[in-house]
Amino acid sequence: MSERPKIKDIAERAGVSVATVSRALSGSSLVTDETRQRINALARELNYRPNVSARNLRTRRSMSVLLVVRDVGNPFYLEILKGVEATAREAGYAVLMGNTENDPDREVEYFNMLRDGHADGMILMTGKLPPPEPGESADLSHLPVVIALEMIEGSGFPHVQIDNVAAAEAAVDHLIALGHRRIAHIAGPLPEVMALHRRDGYRAAMKAAGLAVPEGYEVRGDYLLESGEACASDLFALPEPPTAIFAANDEMAYGAIHALRRLGREVPGDVSVVGFDDLYLSKAFYPPLTTVSQPRADIGRTAMSQLLNVLSDGDVAAEPAIVLPTTLNIRGSTAPPRK
Amino acid sequence: MSERPKIKDIAERAGVSVATVSRALSGSSLVTDETRQRINALARELNYRPNVSARNLRTRRSMSVLLVVRDVGNPFYLEILKGVEATAREAGYAVLMGNTENDPDREVEYFNMLRDGHADGMILMTGKLPPPEPGESADLSHLPVVIALEMIEGSGFPHVQIDNVAAAEAAVDHLIALGHRRIAHIAGPLPEVMALHRRDGYRAAMKAAGLAVPEGYEVRGDYLLESGEACASDLFALPEPPTAIFAANDEMAYGAIHALRRLGREVPGDVSVVGFDDLYLSKAFYPPLTTVSQPRADIGRTAMSQLLNVLSDGDVAAEPAIVLPTTLNIRGSTAPPRK
DNA sequence: TTGAAAGCGCTAACAA
DNA sequence: TTGTTAGCGCTTTCAA
């Protein structure tokens, strides 16, 4: 066979029908060992590979899943992707990357790829559902979708996530335990759910410790470095600046540390800073960042496992919401406040 | 239509044949405007989407490309992925992620996905070709593959890359211009091609400046943080340690800076450090890292464009090797040597 | 400009 | 245990 051999070529050479070849290749027990071996040998010899489009068309499955994120360029998703990829490939699935950039058209587009057979299921990490279609039934809830990372309240899909409120609370508790009382928060892009939860954790911890949140101690960032710098500058323009900052993610924490250094404040000497996410290389930063660590690879693996369950039993509703534990990595960016 | 509508459903409602519907939907000029509009309206109304498996089977194209890397978990690939994704989707292609983890079986597997119709083309960034098959013709060179980032000498595929030798040379020249004479190099995992090139650039710069490379000044790392630490420690156990280090990537540069700090050496006061890659957040590091910046997004876009060319004219050999420019970002980790 | 019909390569229901 | 046969949903001749 000079061109890609097909099942028919093998059948002819082996002197059997295409059905037998198909069975032998798929490991069906309805084939004698002898035939199977002959066919397998032939397949290897011809370097045969089943055509996936034909198989997909017939079986109505693509053996692909779609992983949809807001921004493929964000390193945060990497380990999740890695976890998803590993679990997917074990189960014979390929992973298609989807990137919405917060564009509603794209969000819809990826949902459509579920319907047109591009992918059998989807892991959605954008924290958003596409807006309901004008004409058609807006009921997506029977699609094989698992929400990870950023939950979508009331979506009816299975979730894999962390408890952002509790994790944020633990981060702030750590600062309180060190003796800080003037603790500020650099929030994410409120009112996004995740940003909201982390802020709520901050508030809860402060309240539980009987600490007030002074005017101006909650500033709103957008998860990017520059906003961390800007927020920290704002905080230190206050008449009574904080002695500690809890940032809603590592990147803003880095930005804050940068700004503080420029203002001549030492971390953790003058100001303690806690981040959230434990980015790759956060440990290499100076000072090493104290931060909440999410089990990212585990989130990816778990989400993919859930999706596999949904795909095999077809029951989206049966899958539970899973909450994975976080840990607070205490490193060098936090210390007791100066006396 | 409760279930996914097919072309036949539209045809029945419109009172035309499936062929006409297919033509109308694909924008063929062989359809009256009136029919086309009727069909389009119906398609929208039914929320019709062509089944990709059926189309792929018929057209023998998957409209997917495969992006294969050594490690999906490495943030370095992110912006490249982003560039590839953007260009791919503009052209109507989906991006499948491949992750080899340096496993030869997987390398072969991804090549096979080209043959079984999973993907129409591949962008290979692993720096390796799979080992030739035992039986079959080992000639891969007519497959629609573009090599990016890590070149593979003599592969016959189009390449998109940077000039690692020249970029490394520029980095070391910068140190020399600052007045350093005792300059060490933390290399990548030699004898990998990229690591080799960067080392050659180091050597060339030293030679051009008439500087010797003392025994022990070239140490071999593996691109990871820990190896940067270890290499720096080795360097500073030398009787005459260097005043500057050129690391083959940012991550090892970070590791080196870490180790130096632990040894009580200041960067850049006592030792200057230059990295390579300009990782995300390298600018947030302290001190901000002087490093060679690769145009990563551009590498991704260019590689995908090349692949699109190959896919449209079918001529792999016609595509040129493209070399993209790098820049040296001079930041805070380099300074003149102490007098 | 449209329709009828073949067939992409595979799997699976049914028959033998 | 094997073969025959009918599609999966689409595109594309070929004929009208």
Side-chain angles (χ1 to χ4, degrees):
Chain A
M1 282 305 94
S2 70
E3 271 322 304
R4 353 214 108 150
K6 42 181 103 166
I7 226 171
K8 194 163 153 237
D9 298 315
I10 299 188
E12 279 168 7
R13 301 217 179 187
V16 296
S17 73
V18 291
T20 303
V21 176
S22 176
R23 287 191 197 101
L25 260 20
S26 69
S28 156
S29 59
L30 298 146
V31 176
T32 23
D33 266 2
E34 191 270 321
T35 344
R36 185 201 319 290
Q37 279 170 20
R38 201 151 40 91
I39 289 170
N40 280 339
L42 227 31
R44 227 184 332 274
E45 184 191 326
L46 298 181
N47 204 357
Y48 170 77
R49 297 221 100 207
N51 176 303
V52 294
S53 297
R55 168 180 289 171
N56 291 348
L57 175 57
R58 179 65 227 224
T59 59
R60 293 143 170 288
R61 323 228 288 149
S62 65
M63 296 307 281
S64 297
V65 296
L66 202 46
L67 183 63
V68 182
V69 301
R70 277 178 207 267
D71 173 15
V72 270
N74 191 327
F76 179 80
Y77 296 115
L78 275 183
E79 285 174 70
I80 300 183
L81 166 58
K82 201 167 175 171
V84 169
E85 200 268 347
T87 306
R89 82 183 312 275
E90 269 172 36
Y93 281 84
V95 179
L96 276 162
M97 283 303 302
N99 186 29
T100 67
E101 316 243 328
N102 290 322
D103 175 352
D105 287 347
R106 296 215 204 171
E107 291 162 9
V108 174
E109 182 59 27
Y110 289 117
F111 263 88
N112 281 337
M113 287 175 69
L114 243 37
R115 306 176 60 252
D116 68 20
H118 249 113
D120 297 334
M122 169 157 86
I123 296 176
L124 192 62
M125 310 209 287
T126 61
K128 295 202 259 183
L129 250 23
E133 286 290 295
E136 200 62 8
S137 80
D139 185 26
L140 306 165
S141 70
H142 290 292
L143 292 174
V145 174
V146 171
I147 310 286
L149 203 60
E150 300 202 41
M151 70 172 297
I152 302 173
E153 287 172 9
S155 71
F157 292 120
H159 279 79
V160 180
Q161 52 179 331
I162 58 163
D163 185 340
N164 280 288
V165 180
E169 220 173 320
V172 177
D173 281 346
H174 162 65
L175 293 170
I176 294 170
L178 285 171
H180 291 277
R181 301 188 60 78
R182 299 208 313 277
I183 303 171
H185 176 49
I186 301 180
L190 300 167
E192 269 179 22
V193 175
M194 201 167 76
L196 227 35
H197 284 178
R198 292 180 182 178
R199 189 212 51 196
D200 289 348
Y202 160 74
R203 287 186 177 175
M206 294 296 276
K207 188 168 179 192
L211 298 174
V213 175
E215 184 71 28
Y217 265 40
E218 274 185 21
V219 280
R220 181 177 180 275
D222 61 5
Y223 289 139
L224 297 181
L225 191 77
E226 291 71 21
S227 81
E229 300 189 48
C231 289
S233 301
D234 289 351
L235 252 15
F236 279 77
L238 253 29
E240 243 199 331
T243 64
I245 297 174
F246 165 53
N249 77 344
D250 281 5
E251 196 168 331
M252 291 194 295
Y254 292 148
I257 292 175
H258 238 225
L260 290 171
R261 192 173 282 126
R262 209 170 295 136
L263 293 169
R265 314 269 178 161
E266 276 180 23
V267 176
D270 299 313
V271 187
S272 286
V273 177
V274 179
F276 201 120
D277 285 347
D278 197 19
L279 274 197
Y280 184 70
L281 295 185
S282 273
K283 63 179 179 212
F285 199 71
Y286 185 76
L289 194 65
T290 295
T291 186
V292 174
S293 181
Q294 303 201 36
R296 282 196 289 268
D298 209 23
I299 290 176
R301 283 191 298 267
T302 308
M304 188 63 214
S305 300
Q306 287 225 56
L307 187 54
L308 290 172
N309 290 345
V310 170
L311 255 19
S312 66
D313 67 17
D315 192 354
V316 186
E319 291 300 312
I322 294 181
V323 176
L324 263 18
T326 56
T327 52
L328 180 66
N329 283 338
I330 297 173
R331 296 199 277 241
S333 66
T334 50
R338 239 177 251 259
K339 286 285 140 53
Chain B
M1 282 304 92
S2 70
E3 271 320 304
R4 353 213 107 152
K6 42 181 103 167
I7 226 171
K8 194 164 153 235
D9 298 315
I10 299 187
E12 279 167 6
R13 302 217 178 186
V16 296
S17 72
V18 291
T20 303
V21 176
S22 175
R23 287 190 196 103
L25 260 21
S26 69
S28 155
S29 59
L30 300 145
V31 177
T32 25
D33 266 2
E34 191 271 321
T35 341
R36 185 200 322 290
Q37 280 172 18
R38 200 150 40 93
I39 289 171
N40 281 338
L42 227 31
R44 230 186 329 275
E45 184 191 327
L46 298 182
N47 204 358
Y48 169 79
R49 296 221 101 207
N51 176 304
V52 294
S53 298
R55 169 179 289 171
N56 291 348
L57 175 58
R58 180 63 226 224
T59 59
R60 293 140 172 287
R61 324 230 286 150
S62 65
M63 296 308 281
S64 296
V65 296
L66 202 47
L67 182 63
V68 183
V69 301
R70 277 177 207 267
D71 173 15
V72 269
N74 190 327
F76 180 79
Y77 295 115
L78 275 184
E79 285 173 72
I80 299 183
L81 166 57
K82 200 166 175 174
V84 169
E85 201 268 348
T87 306
R89 85 182 310 275
E90 268 172 36
Y93 281 83
V95 179
L96 276 162
M97 283 303 302
N99 187 28
T100 65
E101 316 243 329
N102 290 324
D103 175 351
D105 287 348
R106 296 215 204 170
E107 290 163 7
V108 174
E109 181 60 24
Y110 289 117
F111 264 89
N112 281 336
M113 287 175 69
L114 243 36
R115 305 178 61 254
D116 68 19
H118 248 114
D120 297 334
M122 171 157 85
I123 296 175
L124 191 64
M125 310 209 286
T126 61
K128 294 202 259 185
L129 250 23
E133 286 291 296
E136 199 63 6
S137 79
D139 185 25
L140 305 165
S141 68
H142 290 293
L143 292 174
V145 174
V146 171
I147 310 285
L149 201 62
E150 300 203 39
M151 70 172 298
I152 303 173
E153 288 172 7
S155 70
F157 292 120
H159 279 79
V160 180
Q161 54 178 330
I162 58 163
D163 185 340
N164 280 287
V165 180
E169 219 173 320
V172 176
D173 280 346
H174 163 63
L175 293 170
I176 294 170
L178 285 172
H180 291 276
R181 302 188 59 78
R182 299 210 313 276
I183 303 170
H185 177 47
I186 300 180
L190 302 167
E192 270 179 20
V193 175
M194 202 168 72
L196 228 38
H197 283 177
R198 293 180 183 179
R199 189 212 52 195
D200 289 349
Y202 160 74
R203 286 186 179 175
M206 294 297 275
K207 188 165 177 196
L211 297 175
V213 176
E215 185 72 27
Y217 264 41
E218 273 185 21
V219 281
R220 180 177 180 275
D222 61 5
Y223 289 140
L224 297 182
L225 191 78
E226 291 72 21
S227 82
E229 300 189 50
C231 289
S233 300
D234 289 351
L235 251 16
F236 280 76
L238 252 29
E240 242 199 332
T243 64
I245 297 175
F246 166 53
N249 77 344
D250 281 4
E251 196 169 331
M252 293 194 294
Y254 292 149
I257 292 175
H258 237 225
L260 290 171
R261 192 174 282 124
R262 209 172 294 137
L263 293 169
R265 315 269 178 161
E266 276 180 23
V267 177
D270 298 313
V271 188
S272 286
V273 177
V274 179
F276 201 119
D277 283 348
D278 197 20
L279 274 196
Y280 186 69
L281 294 186
S282 274
K283 62 179 178 210
F285 198 73
Y286 186 77
L289 194 64
T290 295
T291 185
V292 174
S293 181
Q294 302 201 36
R296 282 195 289 267
D298 209 23
I299 291 176
R301 283 191 298 266
T302 308
M304 187 63 214
S305 300
Q306 288 224 53
L307 187 54
L308 290 172
N309 289 346
V310 171
L311 255 20
S312 66
D313 67 18
D315 192 354
V316 186
E319 290 301 311
I322 294 180
V323 177
L324 263 18
T326 56
T327 52
L328 179 66
N329 283 336
I330 297 172
R331 295 199 277 241
S333 67
T334 48
R338 238 180 252 264
K339 287 286 139 56

